[in-house]
Each structure stands twice: as C-alpha cells, then as structure tokens.
Amino acid sequence: MNKHSVLLVDDNAIDLMVHRRALLRSGRFETVETAQSGKEALTLLQDHAADRAEEPGKLPVLLMLLDINMPVMNGFDFLERLAQLGLNDDPRFVVMLTSSSAETDKQKALSNSRVADYMVKPFSTDDAHAIADKLDAWRDNV
C-alpha cells in the first residue's frame, strides 16, 4: 500500500479542514497541501514543478481534489489554465470534489482527460480509501 500526495483546492476553509482530516485519517496520504483558490494552487504547482526541475527524483503531486465553484477562477477555468501552462505531470489525477450534483457539471468535468472522478461533498475517510485504492491500482500498472 503506497502513501500518496494530494493537493486540496477549495475556497471554503471548513471544507478544506474536513477533507484534509479525512485524507490523513485514512493513513493513505503522506502529504496533504491546501490552497484556497485556483490562483494559489497554480502558484504551488509551478513552485513544485520548479523544485522537480532541480531535484529530478522528486515525485509530482499525484492527486488534486478540486472544487468547481470558487470565486475568480472556478475549477473548470483552473483546468484550462493548468493546460495552458503546460503542467502535465502536476497533478497527475484530478478528482472534482464539489457541492454540485448537476449532471451537466459532472459530464463537463469527466470530459476533461485529467479528471479521474467526480464526487459530491461531503468527503469521508471511506472516500479517501477508495481514491487511494484507485491510485494504488494505477501505480501497479505503470
């Protein structure tokens, strides 16, 4: 069983705290970083990519839990900006974690090749285990 790194992006501080706690309680996530906006997350990912350029052995951020509904830059805009910046390895997988149960949002999210899953809040420790299992299966096949 591998331990994974994750970046949580959500404008709601309480959601960040609850989701971070669920990830850590699962025991399956070693590094849990948070960002309260898409802009902050882009800065973190750019810094991480620069660190990896200096330290080639440093692993990319494997997973991002991304909220859709955020001010200034929503989750869909964030994904577009990420592609424009050419950050192809960080994060490797995106799970849209949102309060939106709208089928149109789900279809739009899942049509993006980077989006591996779509989950409606709240996020639980069981959800963390399920995502970690998917990441383990992916790593076993690489």
Side-chain angles (χ1 to χ4, degrees), residues 11 21 41 44 69 79:
D11 61 313
R21 185 178 301 146
L44 284 170
N69 299 310
L79 291 172

Side-chain angles (χ1 to χ4, degrees), residues 90-124:
D90 289 331
R92 185 69 50 92
F93 297 101
V94 175
V95 172
M96 300 302 271
L97 180 60
T98 180
S99 57
S100 174
S101 59
E103 190 62 28
T104 53
D105 283 342
K106 181 177 182 177
Q107 292 307 315
K108 183 175 180 179
L110 293 174
S111 71
N112 185 302
S113 62
R114 262 204 157 128
V115 176
D117 206 348
Y118 187 94
M119 301 177 84
V120 177
K121 297 175 186 178
F123 184 78
S124 69

Side-chain angles (χ1 to χ4, degrees), residues 21-85:
R21 185 178 301 146
L23 289 161
L24 292 173
R25 280 188 179 162
S26 75
R28 309 279 300 273
F29 294 87
E30 172 174 58
T31 305
V32 180
E33 293 186 76
T34 60
Q36 287 193 278
S37 70
K39 184 177 179 180
E40 183 182 347
L42 285 173
T43 300
L44 284 170
L45 292 172
Q46 287 173 310
D47 291 348
H48 196 269
D51 289 347
R52 285 187 37 243
E54 292 177 19
E55 297 177 53
K58 187 172 182 175
L59 296 174
V61 174
L62 191 57
L63 172 68
M64 174 186 287
L65 299 179
L66 177 63
D67 188 19
I68 291 177
N69 299 310
M70 297 183 291
V72 182
M73 182 185 301
N74 69 33
F76 297 122
D77 294 339
F78 172 85
L79 291 172
E80 285 180 32
R81 186 71 180 123
L82 196 63
Q84 290 169 354
L85 291 172

